[in-house]
Amino acid sequence: MKYGHFDDSAREYVIENPKTPVKWINYVGSLRFGGFVDHTGGLLLCKGDPALNRITKYLPQLPASQLKGHTLYLRLHTPTGYRTLSPLFVPSLQALDRYECRVGLGYSRFVSEIAGLRAEITVFVPTASEVLVEDVTLTNISSAALTLDAVPLVEYTHFDALKQFTNADWVPQTMQSVAHDGGGGRKLLAQFAFMNRDLRQTYLTANLPASSFETCRARFLGDNEYGTFADPLSLKRAELSSYQALRGDNIGALLLPLGTLAPGESRRFRVLLTQQEGSRAASLARAKTSFAAFETDAQADAALLTLRKFWDGYLGKLQVKTPSAAFDSMVNIHNPRQCFTTKNWSRDLSLYQLGFGGRGIGFRDSSQDVMGVLSSMPGEAKELLEKLLSVQKPDGSAMHQFYAFTMLASEGDSREQPERPDYYADDQLWIVLAVCAYLKETGDLAFLKQDLPFYDKKLEPIARQRGTVLEHLKRAVDFTKHDVGAHGLPLLGFADWNDTVNLERGAESLFVANLYGKALLELMELCGELGDDAQKQKYKRDYQQMRARVNEHGWDGEWYLRYFDHDGSAIGTHKNQHGKIWANAQSWPIIAGFASAERAQQALESVARHLNTKHGIKLSAPGFDGYDPKKGGVTTYPPGAKENGGIFLHSNPWVMIAETLVGNGDRAFRYYMQINPAAKNEQMEEYELEPYVYAQNILGDEHPQFGLGRNSWLSGTASWCYQAATKHILGVRPTYAGLEIDPCIPKAWDGFELVRVFRGTTYKVRVKNPEHVSKGVRSLVIDGRSLSGLIVPLFNDGKTHEVEVLLGGAEATSHPHAATSAPAPVRPSAIEL
Ligand code: GLC
């Protein structure tokens, strides 16, 4: 079963059947002003924090057929009365003669045909604006004249998203709408909660005269709301009631008479929505100014072009051409778009993360997300890093989450069990990886000297301790160094990356041990760069110590263990009945350079044997079968779901990276392709989700619905798949000294090409693989000049340089940074560990 196709030349996915298994969405705008639009025109729009300033009412729990936040009706005048049509399919659900939803970069474009009319509707938030633009062109494609109206509609929510559901008296008592004259017969409908009347208001308008309007849902539907959105009774009368609702369920609907269209004739207009701060007069004036920017067709075209150019620039930092079209499509378009989205929304607002204030920005999540956008938006990445570092605590550990606009941070779900530790043992280590990746991408070492606060919820921001960015990083690893348990391994805290394994106080985490190892490698390299050899030696000793502990206590015979419980018993051993083997416990000792060549091979073989499935690598196996408060959240899921033996996609690229580190390009690529969402396009009866983004999880083979995807869009899978594909499979990695090129590709490839913009210089790289190896650079030539090693130097000249890479067998160059940027246990390292 298929619901659409990829149109890579337009950088769009085209949905051709509106009855997708679940809603498929696209993001517009940013966290500042934006949200998502679904493939039948539903809209969840917010300004700022989705919990605190939500604009449209989008209830994902309602059936797919129901109105969700927004629609556009068309109304045909017929000899027997008015006929209401839904060019977006929902909510009227008449069969369409044609339907397309083009999921573009920052916009969705609907093209549909019904009753002799073609509707083309583009929904987007222009770059840097706070206006939602719905650009509509209607064409009479019949052979007779058609008289019609358009009726755009939004349904509002109370700005306090949760209150909408928890107080059904207060909320409707406060919701108010007022109509303003927009000049020339136009209407501007203002909506606000009474307490915000003099603070901020939402405005809806069109650049056409409106003959009437409606702001009261009950009146619009008619018959005391026994009328429906599918066929509203008010649309059967000539005009809407033009009622200004001063309480109740508020909507905004405009009746826009379009007159008569001759065959072939078109009308183009725009529906515009914004929210503006200030007193009533000031916000109205601001709204008018904002709307004026998208008044004419030319302005709207220009705004869309600016958006396209933004994406040209964004994607232009890396474009690849390999023998695999499905790989290229993800790496060139869809994966970077998802990285942009996760950087923006973290885990806050999707069809699955509902943005009611439970999440905000996750410390570990955003530290990883940021690594997926570094080349395309280093400035924004740095801003996010500053925010993250500002919620690190003075002891080096970190608050688990924070709200981007208030900068209030919390301990996350750990608060639910006050007797347990209130920190997550991995959080602060991710920021070390993120900052070092930022430094390597930009060369902005001055950032290390920037002074930033540490978070202390008991103190006002002004009274908080401060330290340089470098000091923050040092405290991060120092926290872990001293926070160890019976085996000398890091304590688990409330949980590590796997939020759902919540063991009693005293449990230790092998995952954190490995992540700590990787963070130390990064800091050793950084100290080398800063010329601080004494500090580097200290970190080296810490690294060696943790490596020894992991290998002494953590090896189970065929794979590495995952945890030690509070009583010292191992979790992730063949002796366990459930949770015998865990994917992250195998990939991370390799990424950290802790595993010997032999153990690395064996651990990866065990992953292939015990955890891999045709839909991806399971997080662990077998799943726990029954709720066990001693293990925690993981046991709330049935076996095969989510963290309990499900295919948790975020962990898959770590295995790919580990495979490239041992030189297994075939398997790394196979693992990449088996979770490539584009490949699911033909498997929708089992998979169900958007094929243009990664999901967070797929049900594993212990579950009866093996292969069903869940929780698309906001997942660390985006950033890590992008890193696995670009830095490890294609092997193009930023380093302090230049761009390192060390691919690990399928043997069958003859080579590949890519263009990478790095520190202002464009590198055109051509890799040839005549001997059909996976890994090993035989020669590296830049602008006709041979280089030794794997690093093409920095030029800082803004020009384009040609790089020719020849892969080959025996004489291949060994990795000069093996123990620093990409530790390869199978090769000797530059730093003697
Ligand atoms: C979710 C969380 C992430 C966590 C993962 C595994 O994706 O957002 O922080 O690491 O689950 O539990």
Side-chain angles (χ1 to χ4, degrees), residues 180-208:
H180 298 281
D181 185 5
R186 296 185 202 173
K187 289 278 174 287
L188 263 83
L189 302 181
Q191 200 283 329
F192 48 90
F194 179 72
M195 65 190 276
N196 280 342
R197 186 190 61 190
D198 303 311
L199 296 175
R200 59 171 192 250
Q201 304 204 358
T202 298
Y203 295 90
L204 175 76
T205 195
N207 67 339
L208 281 183

Side-chain angles (χ1 to χ4, degrees), residues 347 353 359 362 364-365 368 400 426-427 430 496-501 584 619 642-643 648 650 654 696 711 714-716:
R347 304 295 171 273
Q353 322 282 2
R359 302 281 298 230
R364 83 155 76 84
D365 296 326
Q368 295 169 77
H400 194 53
D426 62 319
D427 275 341
W430 295 108
D496 61 23
W497 173 90
N498 189 331
D499 271 340
T500 66
V501 174
N584 294 347
L619 190 58
K642 295 267 283 190
E643 283 97 332
F648 210 90
H650 190 151
W654 292 334
Q696 183 210 57
N711 202 347
L714 301 185
S715 163

Side-chain angles (χ1 to χ4, degrees), residues 62-83:
L62 292 180
S65 56
Q66 304 296 302
L67 177 104
K68 293 183 180 170
H70 161 267
T71 196
L72 175 76
Y73 294 101
L74 300 179
R75 192 170 81 152
L76 270 182
H77 297 216
T78 75
T80 51
Y82 298 112
R83 187 172 164 211

Side-chain angles (χ1 to χ4, degrees), residues 272-523:
L272 303 166
L273 189 106
T274 190
Q275 186 188 80
Q276 296 293 332
E277 282 78 36
S279 65
R280 280 171 272 181
S283 73
L284 178 62
R286 285 202 187 106
K288 285 183 176 168
T289 312
S290 306
F291 289 151
F294 309 108
E295 176 72 27
T296 65
D297 293 352
Q299 284 173 311
D301 291 342
L304 202 56
L305 195 65
T306 306
L307 186 64
R308 281 189 205 281
K309 284 200 177 132
F310 164 81
W311 279 104
D312 288 346
Y314 188 98
L315 300 177
K317 298 294 185 295
L318 176 64
Q319 286 289 294
V320 311
K321 190 164 184 307
T322 75
S324 168
F327 179 88
D328 294 358
S329 169
M330 281 313 282
V331 173
N332 290 334
I333 305 169
H334 304 285
N335 194 179
R337 182 246 313 270
Q338 190 177 357
C339 289
F340 175 84
T341 309
T342 55
K343 142 73 177 70
N344 240 303
W345 274 277
S346 193
R347 304 295 171 273
D348 211 1
L349 189 69
S350 75
L351 275 182
Y352 309 87
Q353 322 282 2
L354 301 183
F356 289 129
R359 302 281 298 230
I361 307 290
F363 191 93
R364 83 155 76 84
D365 296 326
S366 288
S367 299
Q368 295 169 77
D369 294 343
V370 96
M371 292 193 261
V373 302
L374 290 172
S375 55
S376 295
M377 45 196 320
E380 286 87 340
K382 183 179 179 178
E383 274 172 37
L384 181 54
L385 290 172
E386 288 165 3
K387 288 188 171 172
L388 289 160
L389 289 160
S390 306
V391 297
Q392 197 184 346
K393 292 186 267 181
D395 69 3
S397 69
M399 301 300 282
H400 194 53
Q401 62 200 39
F402 67 97
Y403 299 103
F405 295 93
T406 58
M407 288 310 290
L408 281 178
S410 84
E411 293 87 352
D413 289 345
S414 68
R415 288 166 300 177
E416 287 166 18
Q417 293 188 52
E419 77 287 2
R420 293 283 176 91
D422 65 356
Y423 68 97
Y424 292 72
D426 62 319
D427 275 341
Q428 75 284 353
L429 296 169
W430 295 108
I431 198 72
V432 178
L433 270 52
V435 169
C436 291
Y438 166 78
L439 298 175
K440 287 176 179 175
E441 178 70 42
T442 60
D444 177 18
L445 292 181
F447 182 49
L448 290 168
K449 297 199 186 119
Q450 196 169 316
D451 185 53
L452 289 171
F454 289 99
Y455 195 87
D456 186 334
K457 63 179 175 187
K458 294 197 202 81
L459 296 177
E460 288 298 312
I462 192 81
R464 288 179 191 158
Q465 246 190 68
R466 301 180 72 88
T468 62
V469 168
L470 186 59
E471 177 63 19
H472 280 72
L473 303 188
K474 287 180 173 169
R475 289 198 199 180
V477 288
D478 281 354
F479 177 83
T480 305
K481 176 177 176 174
H482 299 295
D483 191 49
V484 294
H487 298 87
L489 296 164
L491 290 168
L492 177 65
F494 185 71
D496 61 23
W497 173 90
N498 189 331
D499 271 340
T500 66
V501 174
N502 315 119
L503 306 172
E504 281 176 47
R505 197 181 281 275
E508 292 162 286
S509 164
L510 270 299
F511 175 82
V512 178
N514 295 317
L515 180 61
Y516 170 68
K518 175 64 180 160
L520 287 172
L521 282 177
E522 289 294 344
L523 289 183

